């Protein structure tokens, strides 16, 4: 039995004992146990609470149990006015996060000054059309800005120009860049550096040069320890940009918001169609839906951009109502995929849930290839296809063994291709595929007692501040005069070597789960589907996987599984949207 199931059973038993101690009858005790079991299982599945339809049959018995009640009564389980049932800590976290977000949204900064206004119009000389200029204008007028869009819609370009406008008004602004994972942070750093050349040199020189993980920014240690930065010891920042914000869960989002001073601008970037956070909550999905601009604010933004007022009247990004109204802008025009490109058509078909259209995209061949397979494991031809994807990495390894000991070409070659799996276990999961590919790269020397061998890519599985390695960081095991060593990017454009004995928990990284690939981009990916359908297979998972690719996607698995996945939408239970609306209506002090 898994640890999660054991925890759920233990909490269910505890709820029954509490109910019995409070003098409840047998029926109420059983209802309390069922609720405790369901809540822990729901949280493990990413839900913040149980929905009203799940609690309805037991609601009266739950109230009679003494374990559940309205928020003000202080019971272990909270039943809100809409009939949602929460663990008390999750209810409190949701309320605190909503209050923090609304306060930041309602606290308006000073209007943009002449320098920012002039630079905004200079940087966007072309007529409006894809929402980027609107996003910059909105963020100049708010302390909370949510910029959403799919791959290649220009989120990083937008934020580079936004930071330039902010620096034009306030050259000494303290700005930080962060993301939930090290890979996403590194990509944000690289992308922003690439955009710096488009900006005035004096402003480009002031852009932040480094991006880090949110865990590092907040000073989060091992699980259970309080972060270094919190409400009593806030971060010293004027602006914080968080990329891949769709990966923010309820707990991390709350820690982040409470660690930011009231006057800090928070800019969240992400793709609402991607997989949501592994932990409970769907914070970004809720915020990204808040894209309705009030008429007076539309006129203000049009004036700031130098547009005629009617320009904003028919734009699609003003049409979606939401609890925070004017906090979000959605970018829709992809600059990476041409309108008729196979990858672009595939991504749009998946977003729309058009499974047959998605299969038709693969049938066209070229950049997209579908290898129909239904066995318990991949066959030899399929593994040959995966090994061929890593041919550039194998060539770079050969150059290293010939004495050209520069890790940069190896990392560059390894990042051109990745195998993505929907599941961890099984021969078509991460563990099975990694074992097979690692054996193919191991060579006659075999592995060391630690399981390491030259050429093995690895992924760190837990945060370890002592080595400055964090969950999701990718390294390469290479052999030099000192023997085997693990190399990692140092965050400053170079690489550092660690001895194998210093490595925290790791796993091979030829293949990774789609969840772990978020924040990454590769020239090509191979998506391995499981042998049979699974609740893990969803529209969001397949969309996230294929949009990791810049050029090519290889799909290995049954076509009918793609159809089933495209029809399955992940819905997270939670009340954040209602809490935001309530605090917004209350006009917090």
């Amino acid at each position: 039995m898994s640890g999660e199931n054991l925890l759920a059973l233990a909490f269910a038993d505890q709820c029954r004992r509490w109910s019995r101690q409070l003098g409840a009858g047998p029926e109420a005790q059983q209802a309390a146990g069922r609720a405790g079991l369901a809540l822990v299982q729901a949280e493990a599945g990413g839900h913040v609470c149980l929905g009203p339809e799940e609690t309805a049959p037991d609601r009266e018995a739950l109230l009679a149990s003494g374990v559940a009640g309205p928020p003000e009564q202080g019971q272990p389980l909270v039943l809100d006015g809409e009939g949602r049932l929460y663990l008390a800590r999750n209810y409190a976290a949701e309320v605190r996060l909503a209050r923090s977000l609304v306060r930041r949204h309602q606290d308006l900064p000073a209007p943009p000054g002449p320098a920012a206004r002039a630079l905004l119009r200079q940087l966007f000389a072309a007529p409006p059309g894809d929402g980027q200029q609107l996003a910059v204008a909105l963020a100049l007028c708010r302390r909370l800005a949510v910029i959403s869009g799919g791959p290649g819609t220009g989120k990083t370009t937008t934020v580079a120009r936004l930071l330039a406008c902010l620096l034009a008004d306030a050259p000494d602004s303290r700005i930080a860049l962060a993301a939930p994972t090290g890979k996403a942070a590194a990509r944000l750093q690289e992308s922003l550096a690439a955009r710096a050349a488009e900006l005035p040199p004096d402003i480009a020189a002031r852009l932040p040069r480094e991006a880090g993980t949110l865990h590092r920014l907040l000073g989060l240690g091992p699980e259970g320890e309080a972060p270094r930065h919190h409400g009593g010891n806030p971060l010293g920042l004027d602006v914080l940009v968080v990329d891949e914000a769709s990966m923010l869960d309820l707990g991390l989002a709350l820690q982040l918001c409470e660690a930011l001073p009231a006057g800090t601008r928070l800019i969240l970037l992400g793709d609402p169609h991607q997989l949501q956070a592994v932990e409970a909550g769907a914070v970004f999905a809720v915020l990204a839906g808040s894209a309705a601009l009030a008429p007076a604010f539309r006129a203000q933004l049009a004036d700031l951009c130098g547009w005629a007022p009617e320009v904003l009247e028919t734009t699609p990004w003003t049409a979606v109502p939401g609890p925070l109204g004017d906090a979000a802008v959605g970018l829709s025009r992809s600059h990476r995929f041409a309108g008729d490109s196979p990858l672009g058509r595939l991504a749009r078909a998946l977003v729309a849930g058009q499974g047959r259209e998605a299969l038709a995209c693969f049938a066209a061949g070229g950049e997209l290839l579908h290898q129909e397979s239904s066995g318990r494991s991949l066959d030899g031809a399929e593994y040959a296809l995966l090994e061929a994807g890593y041919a550039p990495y194998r060539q770079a390894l050969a150059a290293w063994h010939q004495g050209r000991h520069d890790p940069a070409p190896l990392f560059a070659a390894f990042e051109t291709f990745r195998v993505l799996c929907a599941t961890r276990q099984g021969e078509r999961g991460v563990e099975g595929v990694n074992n097979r590919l690692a054996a193919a790269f191991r060579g006659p020397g075999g592995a060391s007692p630690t399981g390491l061998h030259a050429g093995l890519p690895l992924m760190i599985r837990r945060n370890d501040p002592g080595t400055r390695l964090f969950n999701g960081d990718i390294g390469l095991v290479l052999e030099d005069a000192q023997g085997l060593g693990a190399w990692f990017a140092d965050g400053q454009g170079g690489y550092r070597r660690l001895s194998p004995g210093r490595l925290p928990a790791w796993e091979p990284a030829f293949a990774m789960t789609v969840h772990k690939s978020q924040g990454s981009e590769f020239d090509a990916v191979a998506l391995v589907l499981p042998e049979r359908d699974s609740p893990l297979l969803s529209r969001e998972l397949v969309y996230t996987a294929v949009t990791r690719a810049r050029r090519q996607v290889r799909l290995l698995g049954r076509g009918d599984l793609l159809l089933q996945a495209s029809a399955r939408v992940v819905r997270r239970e939670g009340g954040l949207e209602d809490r935001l609306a309530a605090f917004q209506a209350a006009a917090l002090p």
Side-chain angles (χ1 to χ4, degrees):
M1 185 177 292
S2 71
E4 289 173 350
N5 286 331
L6 287 172
L7 178 61
L9 289 169
F11 187 68
D13 187 53
Q14 180 64 60
C15 287
R16 282 190 293 268
R17 286 202 302 271
W18 281 332
S19 183
R20 184 169 59 252
Q21 291 165 5
L22 292 168
E27 183 181 347
Q29 292 176 35
Q30 291 306 310
R34 286 193 296 272
L37 179 71
L39 275 170
V40 175
Q41 291 175 333
E43 185 179 47
H47 302 284
V48 178
C49 61
L50 296 178
E53 66 284 351
E54 295 175 89
T55 65
D58 277 343
R59 201 166 299 163
E60 293 304 318
L62 268 174
L63 291 171
S65 74
V67 173
E72 62 273 12
Q73 292 185 2
Q75 279 118 318
L77 308 184
V78 172
L79 195 64
D80 75 358
E82 303 298 321
R84 303 182 189 94
L85 186 68
Y86 292 80
L87 296 170
R89 60 175 168 77
N90 281 347
Y91 178 82
E94 192 175 81
V95 170
R96 285 164 55 195
L97 176 60
R99 183 184 289 114
S100 177
L101 289 167
V102 170
R103 278 184 172 151
R104 195 171 304 278
H105 176 61
Q106 292 181 347
D107 180 22
L108 300 181
R117 295 171 68 94
L119 185 57
L120 174 65
R121 299 185 185 192
Q122 174 188 331
L123 292 173
F124 292 95
D130 59 5
Q132 291 186 23
Q133 188 174 6
L134 179 70
V136 174
L138 181 145
L140 290 173
C141 299
R142 293 290 184 266
R143 294 198 196 278
L144 174 64
V146 181
I147 302 172
S148 65
T153 51
K155 295 187 293 293
T156 309
T157 297
T158 300
V159 83
R161 295 179 180 186
L162 166 60
L163 295 181
C165 291
L166 291 171
L167 288 166
D169 265 358
D172 296 326
S173 294
R174 298 165 299 173
I175 301 171
L177 310 173
T181 67
K183 190 62 191 175
R187 193 162 66 85
L188 174 61
Q189 178 179 320
E190 294 163 4
S191 298
L192 195 62
R195 304 300 186 279
E198 305 167 4
L199 304 174
D202 59 324
I203 289 179
R206 297 191 186 99
L207 288 175
R209 301 298 179 192
E210 295 183 24
T213 64
L214 287 170
H215 284 77
R216 188 178 305 178
L217 179 76
L218 294 171
L220 286 165
E223 190 172 350
E225 287 189 9
R228 185 170 65 254
H229 292 287
H230 45 75
N233 180 33
L235 291 157
L237 294 175
D238 300 303
V239 183
L240 174 62
V241 177
V242 179
D243 198 8
E244 298 294 343
S246 62
M247 300 167 70
L248 283 174
D249 59 74
L250 176 65
L252 184 57
L254 176 61
Q255 288 177 314
L256 172 65
C257 287
E258 293 192 338
L260 291 177
T264 302
R265 291 178 195 264
L266 176 59
I267 297 131
L268 302 176
L269 312 176
D271 184 343
H273 302 298
Q274 282 187 195
L275 282 166
Q276 296 162 0
V278 175
E279 304 296 332
V283 176
F284 188 79
V286 171
L287 295 177
S290 308
L293 307 182
F297 191 46
R298 288 205 298 267
Q300 179 185 352
L301 295 181
D303 175 69
L304 185 56
C305 295
W307 300 340
E310 60 270 16
V311 168
L312 288 179
E313 294 302 321
T314 58
T315 51
W317 51 80
T318 65
V320 183
L324 292 187
D326 50 23
V329 170
L331 308 180
S332 56
R333 182 190 299 170
S334 177
H335 301 273
R336 182 187 305 170
F337 305 134
D340 59 348
S341 74
L343 263 173
R345 292 200 308 272
L346 175 60
R348 287 193 299 275
L350 290 168
V351 167
Q354 298 170 342
R356 295 199 178 279
E357 174 63 24
L359 267 181
C361 291
F362 280 105
E367 299 171 12
L368 307 177
L369 172 68
H370 176 204
Q371 188 91 9
E372 180 78 30
S373 62
S374 57
R376 185 177 172 216
S377 62
L378 301 176
D379 62 25
E382 289 167 319
Y383 270 111
L385 187 150
L386 299 185
E387 288 184 40
Y390 284 116
Y393 177 56
R394 197 181 281 278
Q395 292 167 5
L397 277 172
W400 174 278
H401 292 313
Q402 290 168 9
R404 285 174 268 177
H405 289 177
D406 177 7
L410 282 147
F411 277 87
F414 183 66
E415 291 301 311
T416 61
F417 175 72
R418 193 70 84 253
V419 182
L420 306 180
C421 300
T423 58
R424 287 196 60 81
Q425 282 80 37
E427 295 187 41
R428 299 179 72 94
V430 166
E431 294 174 359
V433 174
N434 266 327
N435 288 339
R436 180 76 175 263
L437 289 175
F441 275 75
R442 190 174 297 132
S448 72
T450 62
L452 299 174
H453 60 84
L456 179 71
L458 51 84
M459 177 186 289
I460 299 302
R461 295 195 60 181
R462 66 173 175 81
N463 297 332
D464 184 37
T467 56
R468 293 183 289 122
L469 293 175
F470 296 85
N471 186 17
D473 285 354
I474 297 289
L476 298 178
V477 178
L478 303 170
E479 189 167 15
D480 55 18
Q482 303 176 60
L484 286 179
W487 293 76
F488 295 87
D490 63 8
Q492 299 176 345
Y495 298 89
R496 60 194 180 98
R497 184 188 190 279
L498 268 74
S499 64
R502 295 189 61 200
L503 286 173
W506 58 271
E507 66 183 7
F510 284 109
M512 63 174 66
T513 62
V514 178
H515 269 99
K516 287 287 190 182
S517 74
Q518 286 183 269
S520 300
E521 285 184 3
F522 312 100
D523 288 342
V525 301
L527 173 59
V528 179
L529 299 179
E531 179 184 2
R532 58 180 64 90
D533 192 24
S534 159
L536 292 173
L537 280 178
S538 67
R539 184 184 306 176
E540 293 87 349
L541 182 137
V542 178
Y543 170 85
T544 300
V546 302
T547 54
R548 299 311 88 206
R550 301 185 189 95
R551 293 191 300 105
Q552 293 182 340
V553 176
R554 301 292 182 253
L555 177 68
L556 280 62
R558 289 163 36 197
D560 65 302
L561 293 184
L562 180 65
L563 296 179
Q564 293 175 60
S566 66
R568 181 180 290 124
V569 178
V570 175
R571 180 175 175 268
R572 294 277 178 95
E573 287 290 350
L576 180 61
E577 186 168 357
D578 287 349
R579 316 267 172 247
L580 291 168
F583 283 129
Q584 180 78 344
L588 292 173

